[in-house]
Amino acid sequence: MLLTRALDGTPRRIISLNPSITEFLFVIGAGSRVVGTDVWSYRPREAMKTIKIGSFTSADIEAIRKLSPDLIILSYPVQRQLVEPLSGIAPVLAIPMPVNLNAVVSSFEMIGELLDMDDNAQRVMGIYMDLLRQSIDVEDAMVVLSLGDYVIPCEASYIASALNKVGIKYVRDLKCVELITNKDGVIDIINRVNPKLVIYEGKTKDYRPQETSWINRPVVHTPNDVLAHFGPSLPLDIQLLINTIKNGEKFVKGTSSITRPSLNDPWYKPYL
């Protein structure tokens, strides 16, 4: 993690352009400090009331300046082009894309320390990991994320790490994240690694089996922005995935990306 310059005291006005971190901030009780977020920061629902100052990959620099933040949180490397211009406004904390669960909780821990909310952060981190306990036995799973192009996480990713922890064993033949622009490229990888299950995260909220009619393996669909999110909702959404697999169903229903729960909803009860 990179903090571009020292903080001037404990941050009280935070801008988060990292949806996973935005959710964590609200869950540990720092939501009142969040003054601006990107449009993808809709977990929890309370985050939707913040001023929206950009997408996941762009930001309105002048709008951010007017909000007078004392900490700006980014995702790295996808937002690396924002580090320099935003560093002139406030210290920037660049969170690397986590390569495993340890990296996820390390980012949570650092934020707790920076905000002087260590105890709250440690409690949420412990619950997060406790929720990711083995409860199924599935061999050789592979994830395909439809994000415009196809992104296939490798074994050194927080997605593979989380799935392995709950008993969905990730294929061992993907050493690097694969960015594929066409179906043929995905088919080539599927044929090479020979997964027994493909978990496909679609572009929309809906179940669209036609999106995977070309995959010649068993497929379970998730809505968009489920496994692509490592915030506190990830363990809860993975439990829905486990239940879907156990029930022999094809589509994971009721995920946080669909229901967009409030902190007052039962969804967040394990944390609060």
Side-chain angles (χ1 to χ4, degrees):
M1 281 164 280
L2 168 68
L3 183 63
T4 56
R5 54 190 170 93
L7 298 174
D8 184 16
T10 302
R12 297 293 173 183
R13 295 182 61 79
I14 302 168
I15 286 176
S16 174
L17 300 177
N18 184 316
S20 297
I21 298 302
T22 300
E23 185 183 31
F24 178 73
L25 289 169
F26 275 83
V27 171
I28 66 171
S32 62
R33 305 191 198 185
V34 180
V35 297
T37 60
D38 65 291
V39 296
W40 288 99
S41 287
Y42 56 79
R43 298 179 181 95
R45 193 180 307 149
E46 286 79 0
M48 297 173 68
K49 299 177 183 178
T50 59
I51 295 174
K52 299 300 179 182
I53 41 72
S55 69
F56 189 53
T57 55
S58 64
D60 185 332
I61 304 297
E62 288 309 309
I64 290 174
R65 193 185 307 277
K66 290 177 182 178
L67 288 172
S68 302
D70 45 29
L71 178 63
I72 302 170
I73 301 175
L74 303 179
S75 179
Y76 194 87
V78 68
Q79 296 170 336
R80 61 185 178 275
Q81 76 281 2
L82 297 175
V83 173
E84 183 176 349
L86 292 180
S87 292
I89 299 174
V92 171
L93 178 63
I95 305 288
M97 183 59 66
V99 296
N100 53 39
L101 288 174
N102 290 335
V104 171
V105 296
S106 292
S107 67
F108 292 169
E109 183 175 30
M110 182 175 186
I111 289 166
E113 292 174 355
L114 291 177
L115 302 189
D116 197 20
M117 299 184 72
D118 308 59
D119 291 344
N120 290 23
Q122 290 290 337
R123 181 181 58 80
V124 170
M125 289 158 51
I127 295 168
Y128 185 99
M129 295 301 288
D130 285 345
L131 290 170
L132 288 168
R133 54 185 176 272
Q134 181 163 352
S135 56
I136 196 171
D137 189 7
V138 174
E139 295 294 329
D140 298 328
M142 185 181 97
V143 171
V144 177
L145 306 175
S146 180
L147 301 173
D149 294 325
Y150 298 102
V151 176
I152 301 178
C154 65
E155 57 187 84
S157 66
Y158 73 86
I159 291 176
S161 182
L163 293 178
N164 281 327
K165 190 166 175 57
V166 300
I168 302 175
K169 301 298 188 296
Y170 206 74
V171 291
R172 300 290 296 175
D173 298 312
L174 290 169
K175 303 303 181 184
C176 301
V177 175
E178 300 277 1
L179 176 62
I180 310 297
T181 59
N182 56 68
K183 295 176 183 178
D184 288 340
V186 177
I187 291 172
D188 287 344
I189 293 175
I190 289 174
N191 290 337
R192 174 168 61 85
V193 303
N194 194 27
K196 295 179 181 177
L197 175 68
V198 175
I199 301 168
Y200 179 87
E201 188 149 304
K203 299 178 183 178
T204 67
K205 300 178 180 180
D206 305 317
Y207 177 39
R208 297 185 177 184
Q210 65 271 22
E211 284 192 36
T212 58
S213 59
W214 44 275
I215 297 179
N216 60 347
R217 297 292 192 285
V219 180
V220 172
H221 290 237
T222 70
N224 68 316
D225 200 25
V226 176
L227 297 177
H229 176 86
F230 64 83
S233 282
L234 177 65
L236 302 171
D237 281 325
I238 286 180
Q239 188 57 57
L240 296 180
L241 170 63
I242 290 169
N243 293 340
T244 299
I245 295 172
K246 286 182 175 180
N247 293 335
E249 299 170 345
K250 298 296 185 183
F251 183 64
V252 183
K253 301 175 183 176
T255 66
S256 60
S257 63
I258 303 303
T259 61
R260 303 191 174 194
S262 164
L263 287 172
N264 297 320
D265 292 342
W267 179 260
Y268 287 109
K269 185 176 180 180
Y271 289 110
L272 304 178

